[in-house]
Amino acid sequence: MNNIITLENVVKDFGKVKALDDVSLFVEREKEVTIMGPSGSGKTTLINLIAGLDSVSSGNIIVNGVSLAGLDQEELAAFRRDNIGIIFQQFHLIPYLTALENVMLAQYFHGLPNKADAMNALEIVGLKDRAKHLPSELSGGEQQRVAIARAITNDPSLILADEPTGNLDEANEKSIISIFRKLKRDGKTIL
């Protein structure tokens, strides 16, 4: 099977609240899949489960051929580092680090940071000339593009993006969508 993501009868409970109820989902490699729904419908929960940031109440999640249920926290962290780029709804940029340093931070967890690779990621998202700027010196769209550069700098096969255009104006939204389309053409799977 050519699926990079397989969810089998996934249930996620938060006490009496059932965030996900018997969800099965199959995402093929090198596809771009958009999940839409109202606030509170479980989109972020789904992404967090696929990323291994949270665990299922029941069911199974397989990412890149690996069942997440069989991994402890250290193994999950290593798996994420090597396979998944995450773009959070809130950018989670470190305010006292430059754009370049924020991207290199993701590399630090992967091994030794590589300035050239981080600059390449910033170039892909059109921010090479803003590498030395702090997050407070960047627009919302630029901050989101730094978050994307951070997510792709380790060359993951899967990119999970939680409402990546939710806080952006129309022009920046189009720019982000264009970046995702290019990443898909380059062989990435985007959810």
Side-chain angles (χ1 to χ4, degrees):
M1 203 178 309
N2 197 27
N3 294 334
I4 192 167
I5 300 170
T6 301
L7 275 74
E8 300 168 332
N9 308 104
V10 170
V11 174
K12 178 60 182 176
D13 296 319
F14 293 101
K16 293 182 180 183
V17 175
K18 199 172 283 264
L20 297 175
D21 187 12
D22 196 28
V23 174
S24 293
L25 172 70
F26 307 94
V27 177
E28 293 180 24
R29 293 182 189 283
E30 300 182 18
K31 297 291 181 181
E32 180 181 356
V33 177
T34 302
I35 298 175
M36 297 174 59
S39 181
S41 63
K43 300 179 302 292
T44 298
T45 298
L46 179 68
I47 286 174
N48 288 341
L49 292 171
I50 294 168
L53 296 170
D54 201 353
S55 57
V56 300
S57 301
S58 66
N60 191 28
I61 298 178
I62 300 167
V63 178
N64 224 6
V66 175
S67 174
L68 300 186
L71 304 178
D72 63 27
Q73 289 303 312
E74 191 173 306
E75 292 168 327
L76 280 168
F79 180 78
R80 268 191 305 275
R81 177 195 69 213
D82 295 339
N83 295 278
I84 301 173
I86 305 171
I87 304 164
F88 296 98
Q89 190 171 5
Q90 305 302 323
F91 311 133
H92 294 302
L93 300 179
I94 308 300
Y96 54 84
L97 297 179
T98 65
L100 178 63
E101 292 165 337
N102 266 286
V103 173
M104 290 176 70
L105 185 62
Q107 296 174 336
Y108 172 79
F109 295 108
H110 199 263
L112 293 175
N114 182 310
K115 186 176 182 179
D117 287 348
M119 284 299 286
N120 183 54
L122 284 171
E123 186 171 12
I124 288 169
V125 300
L127 287 179
K128 187 174 183 178
D129 63 330
R130 307 287 278 168
K132 294 183 180 180
H133 288 73
L134 296 172
S136 62
E137 300 168 327
L138 301 171
S139 71
E142 289 171 329
Q143 289 180 42
Q144 183 64 302
R145 288 188 279 159
V146 171
I148 292 170
R150 182 181 56 200
I152 66 173
T153 191
N154 292 327
D155 196 30
S157 53
L158 174 61
I159 299 169
L160 301 174
D162 189 2
E163 296 193 34
T165 60
N167 299 321
L168 303 178
D169 60 34
E170 188 176 341
N172 279 307
E173 181 178 326
K174 287 180 180 179
S175 172
I176 299 302
I177 290 170
S178 175
I179 291 167
F180 284 145
R181 297 266 159 75
K182 181 189 181 313
L183 291 169
K184 180 185 167 287
R185 286 192 303 274
D186 290 344
K188 306 296 181 203
T189 303
I190 303 167
L191 178 67

